[in-house]
Amino acid sequence: MRLFLLVLLFVTMTKSEILQVVKKSERIMKPMGFESLVSTFNSTREARRSVVSGGLFSIVSFDNVPCMAMSGDIGTCYSQRECTNLMGTASGVCAGNFGVCCVVTPSCGGTVTTNNTYFINTGFPATVSGPLMCSVTVNKLAGASELYLEFTNFQIAGPTLGDCTNDTFTVTITGSTSSMTVPILCGNLGNQMYYIDISKATGPFTLKFNLGSTTFARSWKIRIVQFKTGDACAAPSGCSLYFRDPSGTVETFNYNMGQGELINNICINVCFQLQPGFCSIMLTENEFMLSGIAPNDCTEGDYLLANGQRFCGDTLGNGMLVVNQTMSSGFLQIQVCSGNTNPDMDLGFKLNYTQLPCPSSVG
């Protein structure tokens, strides 16, 4: 029991506090056996050791890496004290039980100073009503080149004739010289994502909801991550959406299980990471409804651009399309754009995609 208490104290105390305890507790420490204390610290392989006071004691330290929280969220491994200082919630343990999986959830008026947090509405998962303005400020982290937003939950009032006139969600990139702009979003964006180039931005960044007076139950939970160039999870430059799985689905914003409406004035690159030995993807129409006359009379502003050709109307070609890789970069992309009006309240699309092997690797 005494050993357990001392180990717990050393994990949470500062260096100066530990040295004071060592000086005052010398008689207690010697009967315990110093080797036992060191052995306790060495029992975890997840922790990285650093030596204090000439090697007398080993204080456990560990990297603040992502961890899977008991809540199902992706947290960050911190000490209990660090998690408390960040106003986070400890949800499980990490680093061989020396750390806690900390989930940080700033809300209206909050400031994000660390990586991997969740912006939530007040009282989430309870809903909120309008009118309301709610924002968080995100400080740019050293070396960050990309801001990733994962819409774990996103439900606000949808557009009218394609325009977000009721509720809006905006992202302001301060001090940016990048040509990448973030469109105004609204409606149901649950399980969607957005990558934003911040390599030439100074920050801070503002994520803001402006909710109107329309009667509607709103809620949101947005994971905020900053990546450095070369990080395994970073998207290629210029990609707003990035899919890594060999197969899956891609939807326009506010598709909302076929009950939504295409949002106006959006033009983004949708990218797919190709697995080794794969050179193209096959897009299969689940539902496709853009303005214009199928397959290629796309003068009204809505289109999907692939293989140098625009597609619009109520069908994607003959219902399927093979998109070929045009660059030797390990990924391919399509472009999806919407016009400045949606008088027919066109839905957008939901497409299934599957990667296809390179011809030389078949058989």
Side-chain angles (χ1 to χ4, degrees), residues 113-124:
T113 59
T114 186
N115 213 353
N116 188 39
T117 61
Y118 289 87
F119 173 25
I120 61 173
N121 62 277
T122 303
F124 183 87

Side-chain angles (χ1 to χ4, degrees), residues 122-199:
T122 303
F124 183 87
T127 60
V128 293
S129 302
L132 175 69
M133 187 175 294
C134 176
S135 65
V136 295
T137 300
V138 181
N139 290 341
K140 183 177 180 178
L141 302 179
S145 60
E146 197 169 72
L147 181 66
Y148 170 65
L149 304 180
E150 181 181 286
F151 302 118
T152 303
N153 178 284
F154 189 112
Q155 182 69 63
I156 60 177
T160 300
L161 302 180
D163 289 330
C164 295
T165 56
N166 301 303
D167 297 347
T168 61
F169 172 73
T170 56
V171 180
T172 302
I173 307 298
T174 305
S176 176
T177 59
S178 171
S179 60
M180 178 179 286
T181 58
V182 183
I184 298 173
L185 299 174
C186 59
N188 188 331
L189 273 62
N191 297 317
Q192 290 273 26
M193 70 181 98
Y194 207 99
Y195 289 86
I196 305 166
D197 181 5
I198 58 172
S199 59

Side-chain angles (χ1 to χ4, degrees), residues 78-119:
Y78 287 111
S79 69
Q80 178 64 68
R81 175 179 292 183
E82 289 172 321
C83 187
T84 300
N85 290 341
L86 290 169
M87 301 182 69
T89 300
S91 180
V93 295
C94 54
N97 295 334
F98 286 108
V100 296
C101 194
C102 185
V103 181
V104 181
T105 54
S107 190
C108 304
T111 299
V112 177
T113 59
T114 186
N115 213 353
N116 188 39
T117 61
Y118 289 87
F119 173 25

Side-chain angles (χ1 to χ4, degrees), residues 1 4 11 66-67 85 98 186 211 216 228-229 234 237 255 319 321 338 348 355:
M1 182 65 178
F4 172 78
V11 171
C67 53
N85 290 341
F98 286 108
C186 59
L211 310 181
F216 194 85
K228 296 180 179 180
T229 300
S237 178
Y255 175 77
L321 175 68
S338 61
Q355 296 190 18

Side-chain angles (χ1 to χ4, degrees), residues 158-159 186-189 192 252-256 260-263 347:
C186 59
N188 188 331
L189 273 62
Q192 290 273 26
T252 48
F253 290 129
N254 193 44
Y255 175 77
N256 193 18
E261 179 183 333
L262 188 66
I263 302 172
L347 171 64

